[in-house]
Amino acid sequence: MLDANLTQQLKGYLVNIRQPIELVASLGDDAKSRQMGELLGEIAALSDHITVVDGTDARTPSFLIRRAGTDIGVRFAGLPMGHEFTSLVLALLQVGGHPSKAAPALLNHVRGLDGDFAFETYFSLSCQNCPDVVQALNLMAVLNPRITHTAIDGALFQDEVTQRKVMAVPTVFLNGEPFGQGRMDLEQIVAKLDTGASARAAATIAAKDPFDVLVVGGGPAGAAAAIYAARKGIRTGLVAERFGGQVLDTMGIENFISIPHTEGPKLVGDLERHVRDYDVDVMNLQRAAKLVPAAQEGGLHELVLDSGATLSARTVILSTGARWRTMNVPGEAEYRNKGVAYCPHCDGPLFKGKRVAVIGGGNSGVEAAIDLAGLVAHVTLIEYDGDLRADAVLQRKLASLPNVRIVTSALTTEVHGDGERVTGLTYEDRHQGSLHRVDLEGVFVQIGLVPNTEWLTDTIALSARGEIEVDHRGATSWPGIFAAGDATTVPFKQIVIAAGEGSRAALAAFDHLIRLAPAEQPREKVAA
């Protein structure tokens, strides 16, 4: 199961195990069980602290990683390879007594949670967001004896997926009831369990002194802006609803200069570590609600958060990014995560052997259709324009696939469902005006991005598309307020461009600060 490279890497990690652990294997006679048994045997052979014992869990194949002589452990139902291999490594280390690098205050918060919490997470091996959830809940189970966690490969346990109506990953159940879907980190999960945490955080934020530069948004533009501002030695804060933003939902990244290949979550982790290397006050899980510009140049701008807390700053850099554009047709919102999806890499494996549609004929849509064609029974790609807009090489690849149908000059008008899941969609032929229904189980929407700027309407100048208008220095229509990244009118929405624009906005903000008239204060007299 493990190649020579993975074996060597894992052996190096396992030297950090401090306490003996048991791999309690519940296996059957099927091929997956044999593969799991092989994997567990290979792991145990790499460390004297690890042994394999037989188990009797109802889910097979599955295994429990348990600290010997205790009830501390986490369970995997399925083979944690692909994106989940890191989750496996961390689980082995943490159950084996190796400490987490998470903030000590957050770890103590987990230890102090009062209640019995039995978590189950459905993941897919191709989902780049799933490991964050799996790793967070695994760590919670290690830290708090009243918390348990089982990570379940949805593609392997299809009967459970169908019975529990899981149509998107990661999907988390708590004590048998739905708890959440989509990427969540440890801080978010704890905040959801402890409802008083939000009020405490708001009170702490409201008490902060004014910043010289306040960055709003934690994507590549926001991270770069914060780093460049902090390097100038000025008081810098960063507010983010979700540090990393849309990059967290990006699968492969091969055009970030000097890094031949990486993935969104890994790049976000590197960005956050880099930001925290500097004196930046990072306020995560905070959504901006209103911006109140300073009444006069040199005054303080105010940022009001959803929590009710208010921050003030001499300059502001807006880097709120963008989100997936929706079709805005009947049925789309009702069946989101019930067949309507926006991440083919994450949710594609849940539609194995089924019929799906991809909406959008640009690069993202055609790439999604190509990927899905290898998993599903049939793909219908629907494009509004008369021709696909994807690169020619992608179009040729798509046309070569036998289980793909391409429909152009078509407008999706409705998503149909039975109350629980998608059953089809209707599109209009834009030439003839006729309506056509397609029976299917999944709809993957890939039609571009919308800037996260609705909360700025009537505050600063926005384009007709809702993008923040900026000049060559990243300055907006209001002095002292700058903007960068996908939320602005700067063309070509790319990670490397966003990072560069964030750096430029920070330098412009610093230049603005040093040119302001100094605050009035008593001048020291010099003796004649």
Side-chain angles (χ1 to χ4, degrees):
M1 287 296 296
L2 300 176
D3 59 28
N5 184 45
L6 279 180
T7 298
Q8 193 62 31
Q9 289 183 37
L10 186 56
K11 187 174 182 179
Y13 287 128
L14 295 183
V15 298
N16 294 304
I17 291 179
R18 301 180 178 183
Q19 301 182 51
I21 59 178
E22 299 171 331
L23 305 179
V24 186
S26 300
L27 307 176
D29 297 326
D30 56 288
K32 289 294 184 182
S33 290
R34 289 191 291 273
Q35 289 178 344
M36 181 174 289
E38 180 183 347
L39 173 65
L40 299 182
E42 291 176 0
I43 294 172
L46 298 177
S47 172
D48 294 337
H49 291 294
I50 304 176
T51 57
V52 180
V53 299
D54 292 333
T56 57
D57 190 72
R59 286 191 184 95
T60 59
S62 70
F63 65 98
L64 174 69
I65 304 175
R66 181 174 65 196
R67 187 175 298 170
T70 75
D71 292 327
I72 297 172
V74 298
R75 183 177 296 278
F76 288 94
L79 288 166
M81 303 300 288
H83 287 288
E84 291 300 339
F85 186 71
T86 301
S87 301
L88 170 62
V89 174
L90 286 174
L92 290 167
L93 294 178
Q94 289 165 358
V95 174
H98 187 67
S100 168
K101 294 181 180 179
L106 183 57
L107 298 179
N108 287 332
H109 199 163
V110 174
R111 294 185 183 100
L113 288 173
D114 185 22
D116 295 312
F117 305 104
F119 286 101
E120 298 167 293
T121 301
Y122 289 88
F123 67 87
S124 71
L125 296 179
S126 59
C127 170
Q128 73 270 26
N129 290 325
C130 294
D132 288 320
V133 178
V134 171
Q135 291 164 24
L137 290 170
N138 279 349
L139 177 58
M140 291 175 67
V142 171
L143 294 172
N144 190 321
R146 299 178 68 180
I147 298 175
T148 63
H149 180 229
T150 300
I152 306 162
D153 182 356
L156 190 58
F157 292 88
Q158 286 281 344
D159 289 344
E160 285 190 37
V161 165
T162 300
Q163 179 184 1
R164 302 182 87 167
K165 302 180 178 63
V166 176
M167 303 195 72
V169 290
T171 290
V172 180
F173 287 81
L174 171 58
N175 298 334
E177 298 296 328
F179 176 77
Q181 288 181 320
R183 183 186 180 276
M184 295 179 284
D185 60 22
L186 181 61
E187 190 175 6
Q188 288 171 301
I189 295 170
V190 171
K192 194 168 182 177
L193 291 174
D194 182 0
T195 55
S198 178
R200 293 193 297 272
T204 300
I205 289 172
K208 293 181 184 292
D209 293 332
F211 293 94
D212 291 313
V213 173
L214 179 61
V215 180
V216 186
I227 290 169
Y228 266 74
R231 286 174 61 87
K232 293 296 185 181
I234 56 180
R235 180 166 161 74
T236 304
L238 184 150
V239 175
E241 182 179 358
R242 183 178 73 145
F243 195 98
Q246 189 192 356
V247 179
L248 284 168
D249 304 321
T250 303
M251 184 66 173
I253 299 170
E254 299 177 342
N255 56 1
F256 194 78
I257 309 306
S258 83
I259 303 176
H261 177 82
T262 187
E263 293 178 349
K266 183 180 185 304
L267 178 59
V268 168
D270 292 338
L271 288 173
E272 185 168 7
R273 280 188 289 273
H274 198 174
V275 169
R276 293 185 184 275
D277 281 345
Y278 291 91
D279 189 15
V280 177
D281 189 342
V282 178
M283 294 158 278
N284 199 16
L285 308 185
Q286 300 296 326
R287 181 183 177 91
K290 183 180 180 181
L291 178 63
V292 182
Q296 58 185 18
E297 188 171 16
L300 293 175
H301 310 284
E302 291 189 344
L303 181 72
V304 182
L305 305 178
D306 258 1
S307 65
T310 298
L311 293 166
S312 59
R314 298 174 68 198
T315 61
V316 174
I317 299 175
L318 302 168
S319 55
T320 50
R323 63 187 183 277
W324 292 115
R325 184 182 299 277
T326 61
M327 298 183 291
N328 289 322
V329 300
E332 181 182 18
E334 292 85 341
Y335 290 101
R336 182 166 187 162
N337 295 328
K338 298 179 181 178
V340 175
Y342 300 85
C343 180
H345 302 294
C346 299
D347 300 330
L350 298 177
F351 294 85
K352 184 178 181 179
K354 298 180 180 179
R355 301 175 67 85
V356 304
V358 173
I359 312 301
N363 282 349
S364 296
V366 172
E367 288 174 352
I370 293 170
D371 288 346
L372 289 167
L375 291 170
V376 304
H378 189 270
V379 179
T380 301
L381 185 142
I382 298 176
E383 164 58 28
Y384 181 83
D385 288 339
D387 298 295
L388 300 183
R389 294 167 287 108
D391 295 342
V393 63
L394 294 175
Q395 293 193 44
R396 288 194 295 270
K397 174 63 176 177
L398 183 69
S400 72
L401 301 175
N403 63 334
V404 175
R405 176 190 175 209
I406 301 171
V407 181
T408 57
S409 298
L411 172 65
T412 304
T413 58
E414 186 174 358
V415 175
H416 305 289
D418 60 7
E420 294 185 349
R421 62 189 64 202
V422 166
T423 59
L425 64 75
T426 294
Y427 69 85
E428 177 187 351
D429 184 316
R430 295 180 54 238
H431 292 311
Q432 300 179 359
S434 54
L435 296 177
H436 302 267
R437 173 165 174 143
V438 181
D439 293 328
L440 41 74
E441 291 80 29
V443 179
F444 289 83
V445 183
Q446 301 281 287
I447 55 175
L449 303 171
V450 167
N452 298 316
T453 58
E454 294 88 349
W455 64 285
L456 294 169
T457 302
D458 300 325
T459 303
I460 55 175
L462 304 178
S463 72
R465 299 181 60 182
E467 297 171 326
I468 303 170
E469 294 183 352
V470 293
D471 66 10
H472 65 288
R473 295 165 58 85
T476 70
S477 59
W478 201 283
I481 298 178
F482 302 83
D486 288 2
T488 73
T489 50
V490 171
F492 311 120
K493 312 304 185 185
Q494 298 289 311
I495 294 172
V496 68
I497 292 175
E501 292 295 315
S503 305
R504 181 173 68 171
L507 294 174
F510 178 72
D511 184 69
H512 175 83
L513 287 171
I514 62 177
R515 293 175 188 278
L516 289 174
E520 291 186 8
Q521 54 185 330
R523 299 184 62 182
E524 183 177 343
K525 293 183 178 181
V526 180

